[in-house]
Amino acid sequence: PKDAKTNNSYTSAKASEKVSDSVVGILCYSDDVPDQADTTTASSQGSGIIFSQDGYVITNAHVIGNSKTAYAIRVVTSDGKVYKAGVVGYDSRTDIAVLKMDDAKGLTPATFGDSSQLEVGQDIIVVGNPGGLDYQNTTTKGVISALDRKLSTSSLTKYIQTDAAINPGNSGGPLFNMDGDVIGVNTAILSPNGGSIGIGFSMASNVVAKVVDQ
């Protein structure tokens, strides 16, 4: 926002408060599915973003095994409610998947921002579930470290790089600007031990929007 430097409503606390109800936990089960959200038996855990009141959710394709049928999926909202969900579609190249929660209504969809307007050094926050649902709705803060990063020399896909702490479990969750708009979907971390070293990568929101529409 143009007035961000003079308006104290653009803080990480305000942004986190605005977005927390739009962030969900994703639990994937390959065997018996518990009645409640059991993190100990889940084969895969991640984060997701609500983008419609009736339960459409964005996450990473790798969270759901790059498959429509690999897992039985449960989505846990910020108030602890558990929903069954199915895979609408996924795209392995951009690592984006769309889920649909069963019998969901009245949810709080996130607002998406324009990732083409991002600047290096811009403040951002990440909200998600690092390490899984035991740490649901964790907020971390950082800056945009670089734009248009490639994760390999052969990749055609480019990412936003950030130094905000992103760990396993944050996959599929949102990267927000200080106005509380989604500007990216967290996808990967550069780390030899699987933990955050301040080099994380997010798929830009403008790319995500195109993939999700398709």
Side-chain angles (χ1 to χ4, degrees), residues 48-87:
I49 310 163
I50 296 171
F51 73 99
S52 75
Q53 292 184 341
D54 59 347
Y56 282 94
V57 172
I58 299 168
T59 189
N60 279 154
H62 77 256
V63 170
I64 51 97
N66 289 290
S67 170
K68 285 191 173 184
T69 57
Y71 297 122
I73 301 171
R74 299 293 181 267
V75 174
V76 184
T77 53
S78 60
D79 58 2
K81 292 182 180 178
V82 181
Y83 295 84
K84 293 180 180 179
V87 179

PDB file of all heavy atoms in Angstrom, residues 48-87:
ATOM      1  N   GLY A  48      -2.697 -24.951   3.831  1.00  0.00           N
ATOM      2  CA  GLY A  48      -3.523 -24.612   2.687  1.00  0.00           C
ATOM      3  C   GLY A  48      -4.171 -23.255   2.853  1.00  0.00           C
ATOM      4  O   GLY A  48      -4.131 -22.656   3.937  1.00  0.00           O
ATOM      5  N   ILE A  49      -4.766 -22.773   1.764  1.00  0.00           N
ATOM      6  CA  ILE A  49      -5.380 -21.445   1.729  1.00  0.00           C
ATOM      7  C   ILE A  49      -6.816 -21.577   1.249  1.00  0.00           C
ATOM      8  O   ILE A  49      -7.063 -22.093   0.156  1.00  0.00           O
ATOM      9  CB  ILE A  49      -4.621 -20.511   0.765  1.00  0.00           C
ATOM     10  CG1 ILE A  49      -3.116 -20.534   1.047  1.00  0.00           C
ATOM     11  CG2 ILE A  49      -5.166 -19.091   0.842  1.00  0.00           C
ATOM     12  CD1 ILE A  49      -2.290 -19.966  -0.099  1.00  0.00           C
ATOM     13  N   ILE A  50      -7.758 -21.117   2.048  1.00  0.00           N
ATOM     14  CA  ILE A  50      -9.157 -21.094   1.629  1.00  0.00           C
ATOM     15  C   ILE A  50      -9.347 -19.981   0.603  1.00  0.00           C
ATOM     16  O   ILE A  50      -8.952 -18.833   0.843  1.00  0.00           O
ATOM     17  CB  ILE A  50     -10.081 -20.844   2.830  1.00  0.00           C
ATOM     18  CG1 ILE A  50      -9.975 -21.999   3.833  1.00  0.00           C
ATOM     19  CG2 ILE A  50     -11.533 -20.674   2.388  1.00  0.00           C
ATOM     20  CD1 ILE A  50     -10.689 -21.723   5.150  1.00  0.00           C
ATOM     21  N   PHE A  51      -9.955 -20.303  -0.555  1.00  0.00           N
ATOM     22  CA  PHE A  51     -10.209 -19.229  -1.513  1.00  0.00           C
ATOM     23  C   PHE A  51     -11.658 -19.165  -1.968  1.00  0.00           C
ATOM     24  O   PHE A  51     -11.980 -18.456  -2.926  1.00  0.00           O
ATOM     25  CB  PHE A  51      -9.235 -19.286  -2.696  1.00  0.00           C
ATOM     26  CG  PHE A  51      -9.459 -20.398  -3.694  1.00  0.00           C
ATOM     27  CD1 PHE A  51     -10.121 -20.167  -4.888  1.00  0.00           C
ATOM     28  CD2 PHE A  51      -8.988 -21.671  -3.440  1.00  0.00           C
ATOM     29  CE1 PHE A  51     -10.315 -21.182  -5.805  1.00  0.00           C
ATOM     30  CE2 PHE A  51      -9.166 -22.683  -4.349  1.00  0.00           C
ATOM     31  CZ  PHE A  51      -9.839 -22.443  -5.540  1.00  0.00           C
ATOM     32  N   SER A  52     -12.550 -19.875  -1.285  1.00  0.00           N
ATOM     33  CA  SER A  52     -13.984 -19.688  -1.515  1.00  0.00           C
ATOM     34  C   SER A  52     -14.735 -20.032  -0.235  1.00  0.00           C
ATOM     35  O   SER A  52     -14.277 -20.870   0.560  1.00  0.00           O
ATOM     36  CB  SER A  52     -14.486 -20.563  -2.671  1.00  0.00           C
ATOM     37  OG  SER A  52     -14.597 -21.914  -2.264  1.00  0.00           O
ATOM     38  N   GLN A  53     -15.887 -19.404  -0.037  1.00  0.00           N
ATOM     39  CA  GLN A  53     -16.659 -19.639   1.178  1.00  0.00           C
ATOM     40  C   GLN A  53     -17.163 -21.073   1.284  1.00  0.00           C
ATOM     41  O   GLN A  53     -17.413 -21.569   2.385  1.00  0.00           O
ATOM     42  CB  GLN A  53     -17.855 -18.678   1.233  1.00  0.00           C
ATOM     43  CG  GLN A  53     -17.470 -17.224   1.436  1.00  0.00           C
ATOM     44  CD  GLN A  53     -18.680 -16.324   1.593  1.00  0.00           C
ATOM     45  OE1 GLN A  53     -19.793 -16.681   1.211  1.00  0.00           O
ATOM     46  NE2 GLN A  53     -18.480 -15.154   2.164  1.00  0.00           N
ATOM     47  N   ASP A  54     -17.319 -21.751   0.130  1.00  0.00           N
ATOM     48  CA  ASP A  54     -17.850 -23.114   0.156  1.00  0.00           C
ATOM     49  C   ASP A  54     -16.766 -24.182   0.136  1.00  0.00           C
ATOM     50  O   ASP A  54     -17.041 -25.349  -0.138  1.00  0.00           O
ATOM     51  CB  ASP A  54     -18.835 -23.332  -0.991  1.00  0.00           C
ATOM     52  CG  ASP A  54     -18.201 -23.105  -2.364  1.00  0.00           C
ATOM     53  OD1 ASP A  54     -17.090 -22.549  -2.421  1.00  0.00           O
ATOM     54  OD2 ASP A  54     -18.818 -23.479  -3.368  1.00  0.00           O
ATOM     55  N   GLY A  55     -15.517 -23.813   0.428  1.00  0.00           N
ATOM     56  CA  GLY A  55     -14.534 -24.823   0.757  1.00  0.00           C
ATOM     57  C   GLY A  55     -13.529 -25.229  -0.285  1.00  0.00           C
ATOM     58  O   GLY A  55     -12.937 -26.310  -0.178  1.00  0.00           O
ATOM     59  N   TYR A  56     -13.278 -24.396  -1.290  1.00  0.00           N
ATOM     60  CA  TYR A  56     -12.155 -24.676  -2.184  1.00  0.00           C
ATOM     61  C   TYR A  56     -10.858 -24.211  -1.511  1.00  0.00           C
ATOM     62  O   TYR A  56     -10.809 -23.118  -0.938  1.00  0.00           O
ATOM     63  CB  TYR A  56     -12.329 -23.997  -3.537  1.00  0.00           C
ATOM     64  CG  TYR A  56     -13.291 -24.719  -4.444  1.00  0.00           C
ATOM     65  CD1 TYR A  56     -14.632 -24.358  -4.487  1.00  0.00           C
ATOM     66  CD2 TYR A  56     -12.865 -25.784  -5.233  1.00  0.00           C
ATOM     67  CE1 TYR A  56     -15.533 -25.032  -5.307  1.00  0.00           C
ATOM     68  CE2 TYR A  56     -13.748 -26.460  -6.062  1.00  0.00           C
ATOM     69  CZ  TYR A  56     -15.086 -26.080  -6.097  1.00  0.00           C
ATOM     70  OH  TYR A  56     -15.967 -26.762  -6.903  1.00  0.00           O
ATOM     71  N   VAL A  57      -9.835 -25.051  -1.602  1.00  0.00           N
ATOM     72  CA  VAL A  57      -8.586 -24.815  -0.883  1.00  0.00           C
ATOM     73  C   VAL A  57      -7.403 -25.020  -1.833  1.00  0.00           C
ATOM     74  O   VAL A  57      -7.381 -25.958  -2.631  1.00  0.00           O
ATOM     75  CB  VAL A  57      -8.450 -25.790   0.313  1.00  0.00           C
ATOM     76  CG1 VAL A  57      -7.074 -25.701   0.952  1.00  0.00           C
ATOM     77  CG2 VAL A  57      -9.527 -25.511   1.352  1.00  0.00           C
ATOM     78  N   ILE A  58      -6.400 -24.142  -1.713  1.00  0.00           N
ATOM     79  CA  ILE A  58      -5.146 -24.283  -2.452  1.00  0.00           C
ATOM     80  C   ILE A  58      -4.097 -24.876  -1.529  1.00  0.00           C
ATOM     81  O   ILE A  58      -3.975 -24.482  -0.368  1.00  0.00           O
ATOM     82  CB  ILE A  58      -4.665 -22.911  -2.963  1.00  0.00           C
ATOM     83  CG1 ILE A  58      -5.685 -22.293  -3.914  1.00  0.00           C
ATOM     84  CG2 ILE A  58      -3.307 -23.029  -3.651  1.00  0.00           C
ATOM     85  CD1 ILE A  58      -5.409 -20.830  -4.228  1.00  0.00           C
ATOM     86  N   THR A  59      -3.328 -25.834  -2.048  1.00  0.00           N
ATOM     87  CA  THR A  59      -2.171 -26.349  -1.325  1.00  0.00           C
ATOM     88  C   THR A  59      -1.110 -26.745  -2.352  1.00  0.00           C
ATOM     89  O   THR A  59      -1.245 -26.431  -3.539  1.00  0.00           O
ATOM     90  CB  THR A  59      -2.559 -27.523  -0.410  1.00  0.00           C
ATOM     91  OG1 THR A  59      -1.442 -27.866   0.430  1.00  0.00           O
ATOM     92  CG2 THR A  59      -3.004 -28.738  -1.218  1.00  0.00           C
ATOM     93  N   ASN A  60      -0.053 -27.420  -1.897  1.00  0.00           N
ATOM     94  CA  ASN A  60       0.964 -27.924  -2.819  1.00  0.00           C
ATOM     95  C   ASN A  60       0.572 -29.295  -3.355  1.00  0.00           C
ATOM     96  O   ASN A  60       0.017 -30.123  -2.631  1.00  0.00           O
ATOM     97  CB  ASN A  60       2.315 -28.062  -2.129  1.00  0.00           C
ATOM     98  CG  ASN A  60       3.083 -26.758  -2.013  1.00  0.00           C
ATOM     99  OD1 ASN A  60       3.905 -26.611  -1.120  1.00  0.00           O
ATOM    100  ND2 ASN A  60       2.853 -25.806  -2.903  1.00  0.00           N
ATOM    101  N   ALA A  61       0.923 -29.540  -4.605  1.00  0.00           N
ATOM    102  CA  ALA A  61       0.666 -30.855  -5.193  1.00  0.00           C
ATOM    103  C   ALA A  61       1.460 -31.941  -4.476  1.00  0.00           C
ATOM    104  O   ALA A  61       0.980 -33.074  -4.323  1.00  0.00           O
ATOM    105  CB  ALA A  61       1.005 -30.837  -6.686  1.00  0.00           C
ATOM    106  N   HIS A  62       2.657 -31.616  -4.003  1.00  0.00           N
ATOM    107  CA  HIS A  62       3.452 -32.662  -3.336  1.00  0.00           C
ATOM    108  C   HIS A  62       2.876 -33.054  -1.986  1.00  0.00           C
ATOM    109  O   HIS A  62       3.121 -34.162  -1.496  1.00  0.00           O
ATOM    110  CB  HIS A  62       4.929 -32.250  -3.223  1.00  0.00           C
ATOM    111  CG  HIS A  62       5.245 -31.259  -2.146  1.00  0.00           C
ATOM    112  ND1 HIS A  62       5.484 -29.923  -2.394  1.00  0.00           N
ATOM    113  CD2 HIS A  62       5.386 -31.405  -0.808  1.00  0.00           C
ATOM    114  CE1 HIS A  62       5.769 -29.300  -1.274  1.00  0.00           C
ATOM    115  NE2 HIS A  62       5.706 -30.178  -0.281  1.00  0.00           N
ATOM    116  N   VAL A  63       2.097 -32.169  -1.362  1.00  0.00           N
ATOM    117  CA  VAL A  63       1.455 -32.499  -0.084  1.00  0.00           C
ATOM    118  C   VAL A  63       0.463 -33.645  -0.258  1.00  0.00           C
ATOM    119  O   VAL A  63       0.353 -34.534   0.596  1.00  0.00           O
ATOM    120  CB  VAL A  63       0.762 -31.260   0.524  1.00  0.00           C
ATOM    121  CG1 VAL A  63      -0.109 -31.656   1.717  1.00  0.00           C
ATOM    122  CG2 VAL A  63       1.791 -30.224   0.947  1.00  0.00           C
ATOM    123  N   ILE A  64      -0.262 -33.649  -1.395  1.00  0.00           N
ATOM    124  CA  ILE A  64      -1.274 -34.677  -1.635  1.00  0.00           C
ATOM    125  C   ILE A  64      -0.738 -35.782  -2.555  1.00  0.00           C
ATOM    126  O   ILE A  64      -1.505 -36.544  -3.142  1.00  0.00           O
ATOM    127  CB  ILE A  64      -2.590 -34.065  -2.165  1.00  0.00           C
ATOM    128  CG1 ILE A  64      -2.342 -33.133  -3.377  1.00  0.00           C
ATOM    129  CG2 ILE A  64      -3.268 -33.254  -1.072  1.00  0.00           C
ATOM    130  CD1 ILE A  64      -2.539 -33.754  -4.703  1.00  0.00           C
ATOM    131  N   GLY A  65       0.591 -35.864  -2.645  1.00  0.00           N
ATOM    132  CA  GLY A  65       1.225 -36.960  -3.360  1.00  0.00           C
ATOM    133  C   GLY A  65       1.152 -36.875  -4.863  1.00  0.00           C
ATOM    134  O   GLY A  65       1.299 -37.902  -5.546  1.00  0.00           O
ATOM    135  N   ASN A  66       0.928 -35.670  -5.403  1.00  0.00           N
ATOM    136  CA  ASN A  66       0.789 -35.507  -6.855  1.00  0.00           C
ATOM    137  C   ASN A  66      -0.198 -36.535  -7.419  1.00  0.00           C
ATOM    138  O   ASN A  66       0.073 -37.200  -8.422  1.00  0.00           O
ATOM    139  CB  ASN A  66       2.147 -35.624  -7.547  1.00  0.00           C
ATOM    140  CG  ASN A  66       3.041 -34.432  -7.288  1.00  0.00           C
ATOM    141  OD1 ASN A  66       2.794 -33.330  -7.764  1.00  0.00           O
ATOM    142  ND2 ASN A  66       4.079 -34.639  -6.500  1.00  0.00           N
ATOM    143  N   SER A  67      -1.331 -36.649  -6.756  1.00  0.00           N
ATOM    144  CA  SER A  67      -2.302 -37.676  -7.134  1.00  0.00           C
ATOM    145  C   SER A  67      -3.685 -37.282  -6.635  1.00  0.00           C
ATOM    146  O   SER A  67      -3.823 -36.583  -5.628  1.00  0.00           O
ATOM    147  CB  SER A  67      -1.911 -39.023  -6.518  1.00  0.00           C
ATOM    148  OG  SER A  67      -2.935 -39.969  -6.662  1.00  0.00           O
ATOM    149  N   LYS A  68      -4.705 -37.745  -7.338  1.00  0.00           N
ATOM    150  CA  LYS A  68      -6.081 -37.544  -6.872  1.00  0.00           C
ATOM    151  C   LYS A  68      -6.515 -38.624  -5.886  1.00  0.00           C
ATOM    152  O   LYS A  68      -7.507 -38.464  -5.181  1.00  0.00           O
ATOM    153  CB  LYS A  68      -7.051 -37.521  -8.061  1.00  0.00           C
ATOM    154  CG  LYS A  68      -7.007 -36.240  -8.874  1.00  0.00           C
ATOM    155  CD  LYS A  68      -8.172 -36.184  -9.852  1.00  0.00           C
ATOM    156  CE  LYS A  68      -8.232 -34.832 -10.547  1.00  0.00           C
ATOM    157  NZ  LYS A  68      -9.414 -34.721 -11.438  1.00  0.00           N
ATOM    158  N   THR A  69      -5.782 -39.729  -5.862  1.00  0.00           N
ATOM    159  CA  THR A  69      -6.257 -40.897  -5.112  1.00  0.00           C
ATOM    160  C   THR A  69      -5.250 -41.467  -4.118  1.00  0.00           C
ATOM    161  O   THR A  69      -5.533 -42.471  -3.462  1.00  0.00           O
ATOM    162  CB  THR A  69      -6.656 -42.014  -6.090  1.00  0.00           C
ATOM    163  OG1 THR A  69      -5.518 -42.331  -6.914  1.00  0.00           O
ATOM    164  CG2 THR A  69      -7.808 -41.573  -6.982  1.00  0.00           C
ATOM    165  N   ALA A  70      -4.078 -40.872  -3.982  1.00  0.00           N
ATOM    166  CA  ALA A  70      -3.046 -41.459  -3.118  1.00  0.00           C
ATOM    167  C   ALA A  70      -3.454 -41.452  -1.648  1.00  0.00           C
ATOM    168  O   ALA A  70      -3.123 -42.384  -0.900  1.00  0.00           O
ATOM    169  CB  ALA A  70      -1.722 -40.711  -3.296  1.00  0.00           C
ATOM    170  N   TYR A  71      -4.174 -40.423  -1.228  1.00  0.00           N
ATOM    171  CA  TYR A  71      -4.479 -40.253   0.188  1.00  0.00           C
ATOM    172  C   TYR A  71      -5.958 -39.961   0.423  1.00  0.00           C
ATOM    173  O   TYR A  71      -6.645 -39.411  -0.449  1.00  0.00           O
ATOM    174  CB  TYR A  71      -3.687 -39.075   0.772  1.00  0.00           C
ATOM    175  CG  TYR A  71      -2.192 -39.235   0.759  1.00  0.00           C
ATOM    176  CD1 TYR A  71      -1.386 -38.314   0.097  1.00  0.00           C
ATOM    177  CD2 TYR A  71      -1.577 -40.280   1.438  1.00  0.00           C
ATOM    178  CE1 TYR A  71      -0.006 -38.434   0.105  1.00  0.00           C
ATOM    179  CE2 TYR A  71      -0.194 -40.409   1.449  1.00  0.00           C
ATOM    180  CZ  TYR A  71       0.584 -39.494   0.780  1.00  0.00           C
ATOM    181  OH  TYR A  71       1.949 -39.607   0.790  1.00  0.00           O
ATOM    182  N   ALA A  72      -6.407 -40.321   1.621  1.00  0.00           N
ATOM    183  CA  ALA A  72      -7.644 -39.762   2.158  1.00  0.00           C
ATOM    184  C   ALA A  72      -7.267 -38.462   2.858  1.00  0.00           C
ATOM    185  O   ALA A  72      -6.338 -38.437   3.671  1.00  0.00           O
ATOM    186  CB  ALA A  72      -8.297 -40.727   3.143  1.00  0.00           C
ATOM    187  N   ILE A  73      -7.955 -37.379   2.546  1.00  0.00           N
ATOM    188  CA  ILE A  73      -7.525 -36.047   2.971  1.00  0.00           C
ATOM    189  C   ILE A  73      -8.509 -35.445   3.968  1.00  0.00           C
ATOM    190  O   ILE A  73      -9.733 -35.530   3.792  1.00  0.00           O
ATOM    191  CB  ILE A  73      -7.385 -35.120   1.749  1.00  0.00           C
ATOM    192  CG1 ILE A  73      -6.360 -35.703   0.765  1.00  0.00           C
ATOM    193  CG2 ILE A  73      -6.978 -33.709   2.175  1.00  0.00           C
ATOM    194  CD1 ILE A  73      -6.318 -34.984  -0.561  1.00  0.00           C
ATOM    195  N   ARG A  74      -7.962 -34.825   4.988  1.00  0.00           N
ATOM    196  CA  ARG A  74      -8.740 -34.063   5.949  1.00  0.00           C
ATOM    197  C   ARG A  74      -8.184 -32.651   6.015  1.00  0.00           C
ATOM    198  O   ARG A  74      -6.968 -32.453   6.024  1.00  0.00           O
ATOM    199  CB  ARG A  74      -8.700 -34.704   7.336  1.00  0.00           C
ATOM    200  CG  ARG A  74      -9.277 -36.117   7.395  1.00  0.00           C
ATOM    201  CD  ARG A  74     -10.778 -36.119   7.130  1.00  0.00           C
ATOM    202  NE  ARG A  74     -11.358 -37.457   7.208  1.00  0.00           N
ATOM    203  CZ  ARG A  74     -11.525 -38.265   6.172  1.00  0.00           C
ATOM    204  NH1 ARG A  74     -11.130 -37.877   4.958  1.00  0.00           N
ATOM    205  NH2 ARG A  74     -12.066 -39.452   6.321  1.00  0.00           N
ATOM    206  N   VAL A  75      -9.085 -31.685   6.054  1.00  0.00           N
ATOM    207  CA  VAL A  75      -8.708 -30.278   6.171  1.00  0.00           C
ATOM    208  C   VAL A  75      -9.173 -29.776   7.534  1.00  0.00           C
ATOM    209  O   VAL A  75     -10.324 -29.978   7.921  1.00  0.00           O
ATOM    210  CB  VAL A  75      -9.341 -29.432   5.051  1.00  0.00           C
ATOM    211  CG1 VAL A  75      -9.051 -27.949   5.265  1.00  0.00           C
ATOM    212  CG2 VAL A  75      -8.821 -29.881   3.692  1.00  0.00           C
ATOM    213  N   VAL A  76      -8.262 -29.138   8.264  1.00  0.00           N
ATOM    214  CA  VAL A  76      -8.565 -28.630   9.602  1.00  0.00           C
ATOM    215  C   VAL A  76      -8.520 -27.106   9.563  1.00  0.00           C
ATOM    216  O   VAL A  76      -7.489 -26.513   9.238  1.00  0.00           O
ATOM    217  CB  VAL A  76      -7.555 -29.156  10.643  1.00  0.00           C
ATOM    218  CG1 VAL A  76      -7.945 -28.703  12.042  1.00  0.00           C
ATOM    219  CG2 VAL A  76      -7.452 -30.684  10.580  1.00  0.00           C
ATOM    220  N   THR A  77      -9.649 -26.483   9.877  1.00  0.00           N
ATOM    221  CA  THR A  77      -9.724 -25.021   9.866  1.00  0.00           C
ATOM    222  C   THR A  77      -9.159 -24.440  11.161  1.00  0.00           C
ATOM    223  O   THR A  77      -8.877 -25.168  12.120  1.00  0.00           O
ATOM    224  CB  THR A  77     -11.174 -24.554   9.665  1.00  0.00           C
ATOM    225  OG1 THR A  77     -12.017 -25.186  10.633  1.00  0.00           O
ATOM    226  CG2 THR A  77     -11.669 -24.933   8.273  1.00  0.00           C
ATOM    227  N   SER A  78      -9.008 -23.132  11.193  1.00  0.00           N
ATOM    228  CA  SER A  78      -8.356 -22.479  12.325  1.00  0.00           C
ATOM    229  C   SER A  78      -9.123 -22.653  13.631  1.00  0.00           C
ATOM    230  O   SER A  78      -8.539 -22.563  14.713  1.00  0.00           O
ATOM    231  CB  SER A  78      -8.166 -20.984  12.033  1.00  0.00           C
ATOM    232  OG  SER A  78      -9.423 -20.364  11.817  1.00  0.00           O
ATOM    233  N   ASP A  79     -10.441 -22.926  13.531  1.00  0.00           N
ATOM    234  CA  ASP A  79     -11.231 -23.142  14.741  1.00  0.00           C
ATOM    235  C   ASP A  79     -11.295 -24.607  15.147  1.00  0.00           C
ATOM    236  O   ASP A  79     -12.062 -24.983  16.041  1.00  0.00           O
ATOM    237  CB  ASP A  79     -12.650 -22.582  14.564  1.00  0.00           C
ATOM    238  CG  ASP A  79     -13.380 -23.199  13.382  1.00  0.00           C
ATOM    239  OD1 ASP A  79     -12.813 -24.090  12.714  1.00  0.00           O
ATOM    240  OD2 ASP A  79     -14.537 -22.790  13.123  1.00  0.00           O
ATOM    241  N   GLY A  80     -10.506 -25.456  14.482  1.00  0.00           N
ATOM    242  CA  GLY A  80     -10.398 -26.854  14.871  1.00  0.00           C
ATOM    243  C   GLY A  80     -11.376 -27.800  14.210  1.00  0.00           C
ATOM    244  O   GLY A  80     -11.347 -29.009  14.480  1.00  0.00           O
ATOM    245  N   LYS A  81     -12.246 -27.304  13.349  1.00  0.00           N
ATOM    246  CA  LYS A  81     -13.190 -28.184  12.672  1.00  0.00           C
ATOM    247  C   LYS A  81     -12.473 -29.011  11.609  1.00  0.00           C
ATOM    248  O   LYS A  81     -11.554 -28.531  10.952  1.00  0.00           O
ATOM    249  CB  LYS A  81     -14.319 -27.371  12.029  1.00  0.00           C
ATOM    250  CG  LYS A  81     -15.245 -26.697  13.033  1.00  0.00           C
ATOM    251  CD  LYS A  81     -16.360 -25.942  12.327  1.00  0.00           C
ATOM    252  CE  LYS A  81     -17.285 -25.282  13.341  1.00  0.00           C
ATOM    253  NZ  LYS A  81     -18.355 -24.491  12.674  1.00  0.00           N
ATOM    254  N   VAL A  82     -12.899 -30.270  11.459  1.00  0.00           N
ATOM    255  CA  VAL A  82     -12.261 -31.195  10.527  1.00  0.00           C
ATOM    256  C   VAL A  82     -13.231 -31.530   9.402  1.00  0.00           C
ATOM    257  O   VAL A  82     -14.378 -31.906   9.655  1.00  0.00           O
ATOM    258  CB  VAL A  82     -11.825 -32.490  11.245  1.00  0.00           C
ATOM    259  CG1 VAL A  82     -11.132 -33.440  10.272  1.00  0.00           C
ATOM    260  CG2 VAL A  82     -10.908 -32.169  12.423  1.00  0.00           C
ATOM    261  N   TYR A  83     -12.779 -31.396   8.166  1.00  0.00           N
ATOM    262  CA  TYR A  83     -13.596 -31.669   6.993  1.00  0.00           C
ATOM    263  C   TYR A  83     -12.927 -32.726   6.118  1.00  0.00           C
ATOM    264  O   TYR A  83     -11.708 -32.721   5.960  1.00  0.00           O
ATOM    265  CB  TYR A  83     -13.775 -30.399   6.137  1.00  0.00           C
ATOM    266  CG  TYR A  83     -14.539 -29.284   6.779  1.00  0.00           C
ATOM    267  CD1 TYR A  83     -13.895 -28.388   7.629  1.00  0.00           C
ATOM    268  CD2 TYR A  83     -15.888 -29.098   6.521  1.00  0.00           C
ATOM    269  CE1 TYR A  83     -14.587 -27.336   8.214  1.00  0.00           C
ATOM    270  CE2 TYR A  83     -16.596 -28.046   7.099  1.00  0.00           C
ATOM    271  CZ  TYR A  83     -15.933 -27.171   7.944  1.00  0.00           C
ATOM    272  OH  TYR A  83     -16.614 -26.127   8.516  1.00  0.00           O
ATOM    273  N   LYS A  84     -13.731 -33.619   5.542  1.00  0.00           N
ATOM    274  CA  LYS A  84     -13.236 -34.460   4.473  1.00  0.00           C
ATOM    275  C   LYS A  84     -13.022 -33.586   3.244  1.00  0.00           C
ATOM    276  O   LYS A  84     -13.722 -32.601   3.037  1.00  0.00           O
ATOM    277  CB  LYS A  84     -14.237 -35.567   4.140  1.00  0.00           C
ATOM    278  CG  LYS A  84     -14.444 -36.596   5.233  1.00  0.00           C
ATOM    279  CD  LYS A  84     -15.449 -37.648   4.780  1.00  0.00           C
ATOM    280  CE  LYS A  84     -15.670 -38.688   5.854  1.00  0.00           C
ATOM    281  NZ  LYS A  84     -16.666 -39.718   5.439  1.00  0.00           N
ATOM    282  N   ALA A  85     -12.055 -33.962   2.403  1.00  0.00           N
ATOM    283  CA  ALA A  85     -11.784 -33.183   1.196  1.00  0.00           C
ATOM    284  C   ALA A  85     -11.316 -34.110   0.087  1.00  0.00           C
ATOM    285  O   ALA A  85     -10.716 -35.158   0.338  1.00  0.00           O
ATOM    286  CB  ALA A  85     -10.732 -32.106   1.463  1.00  0.00           C
ATOM    287  N   GLY A  86     -11.595 -33.706  -1.142  1.00  0.00           N
ATOM    288  CA  GLY A  86     -11.126 -34.424  -2.319  1.00  0.00           C
ATOM    289  C   GLY A  86     -10.272 -33.522  -3.180  1.00  0.00           C
ATOM    290  O   GLY A  86     -10.291 -32.288  -3.042  1.00  0.00           O
ATOM    291  N   VAL A  87      -9.493 -34.139  -4.060  1.00  0.00           N
ATOM    292  CA  VAL A  87      -8.614 -33.387  -4.956  1.00  0.00           C
ATOM    293  C   VAL A  87      -9.380 -33.039  -6.226  1.00  0.00           C
ATOM    294  O   VAL A  87      -9.832 -33.919  -6.956  1.00  0.00           O
ATOM    295  CB  VAL A  87      -7.353 -34.202  -5.301  1.00  0.00           C
ATOM    296  CG1 VAL A  87      -6.456 -33.408  -6.254  1.00  0.00           C
ATOM    297  CG2 VAL A  87      -6.595 -34.583  -4.040  1.00  0.00           C
TER     298      VAL A  87
END
